[in-house]
Amino acid sequence: MSTVDIVLAGARGHGRWHLDNIRRLQDKGIVRLAGICELTPLAADEIPDGLGTPEQSADFGALLDSTGARIAVICTPIPTHTDLALHAAARGVHMLLEKPPAPSYAEFRRMADGVAAAGVACQIGFQSLGSHAVPAIREMIAEGAVGDIVGIGGAGAWARPESYYRRAPWAGKRRLNGVDVVDGVLTNPLAHAVATGLALNGSVRAEDVTGVELELLRANAIESDDTSCVRVTTAQGRQVTVAATLCAEEPGEPYVLIHGTRGRITFWYKQDRVLLQRADHGPEEYEYGRTDLLQNLVDHLTDGDDLLVVPDATGAFMKVVEAIRLAPDPTPLPDTAWRLLPEEERRVVPGIDALVAAAADTLALYSELGAGWAPPREVST
């Protein structure tokens, strides 16, 4: 098998994870890091050992041309995704595009349609959808392990310091210089909870979303939301409700919860761990492997393997992003609803951990669970 040359656009921040992953695949002889696109070149000590001295340039198109790379990994600010993807597509370069794929549905369609017209492969970076737990859960559902599915919940209680929102000019923004960013808790850090919940409901395409209810709030001094919930009505006749915060008291593992008439399935998607609880059975716990999305893209190009996360399989998620983009700006939580942990330099919303779990458990929104600080919900269809 020939080695596939790769250019990485965006090698700092989350891009460091991609550097390590590329090194892992390079050690196996699967890929070679041919180039790094950054506005400021990486110093030698920023490049993991074993990756050599890849060519560096701030000009993405020129770097693709000079390296002849076959794949681009695009891990850049959200508003740049569409243009960079189309630059790669115009050169016949296949890509792994980080989530969220775009800040608006119009930009998503421009990207997806342009990539399709160019005939290149595009994988969207929802790593949780590479988990072998996903097909296993689908099989459990199909076999009726928990009876008929009545709805799906999702919960994410994470913590981020105030510095998280100072790490980049676009962090925590809804717009920047008149351009959509939509960097909120549901669209970026806990986007996997939304996308995975929709996928397990069988609602992946844009037309599968028939309605969106939102409660967008913020404890931090930012434009976007850090404590929010969404309830998606789907063409499949079931609701998907996801509650998320970056202001948790005790941060925990995010999960998706499948509610059945005779049991439930809990999927901790970062751990590839599944708990099956059903009538007349003891609890059963399983751990699964995971297919790396970059390796899947390489295998698609070299061996014809099916791509795991094509753009159109994220259309339903993008409908949620669009509803959040069009919603009124998030409501600031009253000063009495949050407190600062000085030693961790982060804001905490007391009681939010239990509310997030209750939302996933009952498919209810914060306001319906009695959170006095939650405003009337915004409904989008």
Side-chain angles (χ1 to χ4, degrees), residues 84-107:
L84 292 181
L86 294 178
H87 280 311
R91 291 167 168 80
V93 177
H94 311 281
M95 71 203 75
L96 171 62
L97 178 63
E98 259 302 341
K99 57 80 188 163
S104 71
Y105 191 74
E107 283 290 275

Side-chain angles (χ1 to χ4, degrees), residues 6-9 32-37 54-56 63 67:
I6 289 179
V7 160
L8 172 62
R32 183 181 76 90
L33 183 62
I36 294 173
C37 182
E55 185 178 340
Q56 297 200 59
L63 190 60
T67 59

Side-chain angles (χ1 to χ4, degrees), residues 151-155 193 229-232 239-243 257 359-360 362-365:
I152 292 184
C229 54
V230 60
R231 184 162 57 206
V232 183
Q239 293 179 330
V240 178
T241 300
V242 178
L257 184 58
T362 63
L363 307 181
L365 303 177

Side-chain angles (χ1 to χ4, degrees), residues 355-367:
L355 274 171
V356 164
D361 200 42
T362 63
L363 307 181
L365 303 177
Y366 293 147
S367 62

